[in-house]
Amino acid sequence: MSQSGADNIVTNPPYNCAEGFVASGVKLAKRKFALLLRLAFLEGANRAKTIFTDNPPSRVWVFSPNFLLAKTVGR
């Protein structure tokens, strides 16, 4: 993806890098930005003070049981 951005971005980032993906996605997505993350990502006072203050989630969808994208590729 170029630095100019994209209309919509959907990604499944590594959990330990997710905050960086949020920062980049908010800047690069022109319309919609979606992350596939564990629900635990929403917890924590630090995230509430940093990324969620300026960019709170507009929707949270919970999928249960967890779906695995990697296992369906190549079948």
Side-chain angles (χ1 to χ4, degrees):
M1 183 172 62
S2 70
Q3 289 297 320
S4 62
D7 286 339
N8 303 304
I9 298 172
V10 178
T11 186
N12 183 15
Y15 188 78
N16 62 345
C17 303
E19 288 188 43
F21 276 79
V22 171
S24 295
V26 167
K27 291 177 186 173
L28 295 173
K30 295 175 186 171
R31 295 187 64 229
K32 297 177 184 177
F33 175 53
L35 292 171
L36 303 172
L37 290 167
R38 296 182 341 209
L39 197 54
F41 185 75
L42 298 174
E43 299 173 359
N46 187 45
R47 286 191 190 104
K49 292 178 186 174
T50 57
I51 60 175
F52 294 144
T53 298
D54 295 329
N55 302 294
S58 61
R59 292 182 183 95
V60 175
W61 293 348
V62 179
F63 297 97
S64 182
N66 291 338
F67 65 96
L68 299 174
L69 298 176
K71 287 189 176 184
T72 62
V73 174
R75 283 191 178 177

